[in-house]
Amino acid sequence: MATNVADILNSHRTRRAFVCGVLNVTPDSFSDGGTFLPPEAAVRQARQLADEGADLIDVGAESTRPGSDRVSAGEQIDRVREILPAVTALGIPVSIDTTLAEVAAFALDAGTAIINDVSAGRDDADLLPLAAKRGAAVVLMHMLGAPKTMQADPQYEDVVAEVGEFLAERMAAAEAAGVARERVILDPGIGFGKRLEHNLALLAGVEQLAALGRPVLVGPSRKRFIGELTGETDPQRRGAGTIAACLTARRGGATIFRVHEVGAAVQALRVADAINRA
Ligand code: HH2
């Protein structure tokens, strides 16, 4: 079934699952930095993600791993310039993973339909108004602090409630900027200013976030909490843990799964959904 953005934005009602393939056009992403920086490699990977059944491809030109340095808008645009036309031509929706309006505007011009902003509109005051003007969908993600320092000492009293309050507040900010609530996707931001117990509580507590009335995206793929639980130090070998996290979040009502290994996620979700329907 071909995906369109409206299907994704309506997924909290239909409960259909959507798999979002990660395409990092960066030298320094935590699990695949450098691999897809050459444009030919990036386009090949985008085709591979589509062939494996991705419903959406998330293109990012700035790593947001803990401790990462910022990448200027010009550098981000240079990294995606050549590949975006080829990725958007694959016929599935594309999102741009950026917090900067200038990068988002370039990507929207190149055919992307969704802005994936890990700062939820806090980094660049022009981003939400841009999304409003262009009718783009927006992923609003929770992050405590900024990537450079977010893992220093994250503290919450009730992480699920606090992330829910934050997302409700950012959704109101998006609406105030003119972004229709119907165009918003919410994300608890797994690994962004969270300790192991916070990540686990959020994955277990998706239902509370889904109650905000918008689709919930989760991005547990290959992240550190899987290594902390299993002792697996190589992020590329955290595929099984990633699937377990996705399936658990699925039970709570998450409908969009941002993963590096699309084929495995598509298969796992199809089987889990069939069993849950039986
Ligand atoms: N995680 C990463 C990047 N972008 N966006 C959303 N909405 N949710 C996430 O959980 C999320 C995200 C980090 O993963 P990755 O892109 O693989 O790594 P890096 O930031 O090092 O490029």
Side-chain angles (χ1 to χ4, degrees):
M1 207 189 319
T3 303
N4 60 50
V5 179
D7 294 334
I8 298 172
L9 290 170
N10 203 29
S11 60
H12 59 304
R13 294 197 190 90
T14 62
R15 306 208 27 122
R16 188 180 149 200
F18 292 88
V19 175
C20 168
V22 177
L23 182 59
N24 285 322
V25 193
T26 58
D28 57 346
S29 285
F30 77 93
S31 81
D32 54 9
T35 313
F36 307 118
L37 193 56
E40 322 75 64
V43 173
R44 208 178 314 123
Q45 176 66 1
R47 282 201 200 103
Q48 168 90 16
L49 295 171
D51 288 348
E52 289 181 20
D55 297 293
L56 168 70
I57 295 180
D58 186 40
V59 177
E62 176 182 45
S63 171
T64 47
R65 74 187 188 289
S68 57
D69 287 315
R70 300 303 315 260
V71 178
S72 70
E75 178 68 32
Q76 290 188 46
I77 290 171
D78 282 346
R79 288 177 183 174
V80 300
R81 187 187 308 280
E82 205 176 316
I83 66 146
L84 273 184
V87 180
T88 55
L90 290 170
I92 53 178
V94 176
S95 58
I96 182 75
D97 187 347
T98 191
T99 65
L100 301 181
E102 193 183 334
V103 180
F106 181 89
L108 294 176
D109 288 342
T112 64
I114 303 174
I115 305 171
N116 173 23
D117 180 1
V118 300
S119 84
R122 294 175 300 160
D123 198 24
D124 184 340
D126 293 335
L127 190 129
L128 292 174
L130 170 79
K133 189 161 140 229
R134 304 288 294 268
V138 188
V139 179
L140 300 175
M141 195 196 80
H142 175 271
M143 166 164 41
L144 191 69
K148 189 82 186 160
T149 53
M150 64 190 177
Q151 289 305 112
D153 186 24
Q155 303 280 351
Y156 303 85
E157 295 229 327
D158 178 340
V159 67
V160 182
E162 286 167 50
V163 167
E165 280 160 25
F166 171 91
L167 292 175
E169 184 268 311
R170 295 318 300 162
M171 192 154 53
E175 273 189 293
V179 178
R181 177 172 281 249
E182 289 67 36
R183 307 202 71 75
V184 169
I185 294 166
L186 302 175
D187 181 349
I190 300 301
F192 285 84
K194 279 121 192 159
R195 271 201 286 271
L196 173 61
E197 68 264 30
H198 303 138
N199 291 313
L200 299 180
L202 286 165
L203 287 164
V206 165
E207 206 169 348
Q208 228 173 297
L209 305 175
L212 291 168
R214 295 305 309 151
V216 174
L217 179 156
V218 289
S221 195
R222 297 178 172 172
K223 285 185 179 166
R224 187 180 298 180
F225 78 98
I226 300 171
E228 288 168 342
L229 288 169
T230 62
E232 181 53 70
T233 53
D234 179 356
Q236 299 219 11
R237 293 173 55 89
R238 294 176 182 158
T242 298
I243 296 297
C246 289
L247 295 184
T248 314
R250 175 84 178 126
R251 290 190 77 96
T255 53
I256 310 162
F257 303 88
R258 183 184 183 277
V259 294
H260 299 84
E261 291 166 76
V262 163
V266 168
Q267 187 180 93
L269 286 160
R270 199 159 295 166
V271 171
D273 281 358
I275 294 168
N276 288 333
R277 276 195 306 269

